[in-house]
Amino acid sequence: MSNFTLGLDLGQARDFSAAVIVERCVRWEGPKAEEVFADERGRLADVWLVRHIQSWALGTPYPAVVDQVGRILEQPVLRRCTRFHFDATGAGRPVADMFSDAYKRGRCGDFWPVGVTITSGERSTGTRVTKGDLVGGLQVALQEGRLRIGAGLPGAEKLRQELMDFRVKISQSGSDTYEAVTESAHDDLVVATALALLWPHHRGEPRVLAGDEDPEGALEAPCPSSIEYNPF
């Protein structure tokens, strides 16, 4: 069994809805225990592999997005080992209820959908998460080379471009704001990816990558990376 998380950013009137699925793997870093003294041992570190990228057309109704996300989570490779985090900030209670109803009908995977409210505050509490904490996890994964996006993955170039366009801006008051570089740029896939990296879980055993295995190459493996779903 593998370990997946689906992050969903729900669009508003001028934004796209977007979903990203990541697989959490682990890789040994440093010398192995039998090779060195105890205080010099390496460790198993998380590596995040982007497995699926999807954007919906502008103006797609929320019920259609809920239905299609449910169909993705019904895939046998995902159903029993995938957590689902969605942005409940703008959509509010009605969309959260749609996902809850889909789950109760067995149409949203095996785990309760988690609505995340993204705030501009200084402290995260429960499912209310500051944008700084949300984006911070993504930044660390990128800086440490732990987030990998396969070159041949549909939507990979769009995700890379959004990541390049996204920036942290320090206001005069000293607070951080997170935004796309221009008004025409979007950050839907960035938020979806950040949601997928939020709160690693243990609902499925992460795959262990061999020391010399290229995580990007692992994306080409026929299973479990082949998620055969694309409604467009």
Side-chain angles (χ1 to χ4, degrees):
M1 186 178 289
S2 299
N3 182 297
F4 296 101
T5 305
L6 188 155
L8 174 68
D9 181 35
L10 287 164
Q12 302 293 311
R14 294 181 296 176
D15 299 312
F16 298 90
S17 291
V20 172
I21 297 175
V22 298
E23 179 187 2
R24 182 168 71 93
C25 298
V26 292
R27 180 177 57 193
W28 187 267
E29 293 187 345
K32 294 184 178 179
E34 63 270 17
E35 299 172 350
V36 295
F37 295 107
D39 59 350
E40 298 176 341
R41 293 174 186 173
R43 65 190 180 100
L44 283 173
D46 288 338
V47 179
W48 306 91
L49 310 183
V50 175
R51 293 303 196 188
H52 182 74
I53 300 170
Q54 182 163 334
S55 293
W56 281 264
L58 198 63
T60 300
Y62 288 146
V65 175
V66 171
D67 178 69
Q68 291 173 7
V69 168
R71 290 165 60 189
I72 293 173
L73 291 171
E74 285 182 328
Q75 297 287 322
V77 71
L78 295 175
R79 184 173 184 91
R80 299 187 182 280
C81 55
T82 305
R83 288 288 302 270
F84 171 36
H85 305 153
F86 67 93
D87 176 13
T89 310
R93 190 75 243 171
V95 175
D97 289 342
M98 289 182 199
F99 280 120
S100 297
D101 291 343
Y103 170 80
K104 292 173 183 176
R105 290 185 284 110
R107 290 294 313 278
C108 207
D110 280 8
F111 305 109
W112 187 264
V114 179
V116 179
T117 302
I118 303 171
T119 74
S120 58
E122 297 181 356
R123 183 178 179 182
S124 299
T125 55
T127 57
R128 294 180 61 84
V129 178
T130 68
K131 200 157 190 180
D133 286 347
L134 179 69
V135 176
L138 175 59
Q139 286 181 311
V140 170
L142 287 168
Q143 290 167 359
E144 296 183 351
R146 301 188 190 282
L147 178 68
R148 303 300 180 93
I149 307 167
L153 190 68
E157 193 55 41
K158 184 178 179 183
L159 173 56
R160 286 196 184 92
Q161 188 61 53
E162 284 196 17
L163 288 168
M164 291 174 62
D165 288 342
F166 199 75
R167 67 180 180 185
V168 181
K169 183 170 139 183
I170 310 298
S171 69
Q172 290 184 346
S173 64
S175 61
D176 297 352
T177 59
Y178 304 83
E179 59 185 17
V181 173
T182 66
E183 289 186 3
S184 60
H186 293 277
D187 62 1
D188 318 288
L189 290 173
V190 173
V191 174
T193 305
L195 286 166
L197 268 60
L198 188 65
W199 304 320
H201 65 90
H202 301 280
R203 298 298 187 181
E205 190 69 24
R207 288 193 302 127
V208 179
L209 300 176
D212 57 352
E213 183 177 352
D214 180 1
E216 290 197 27
L219 290 172
E220 303 302 323
C223 185
S225 63
S226 57
I227 300 167
E228 298 177 356
Y229 180 81
N230 189 339
F232 303 111

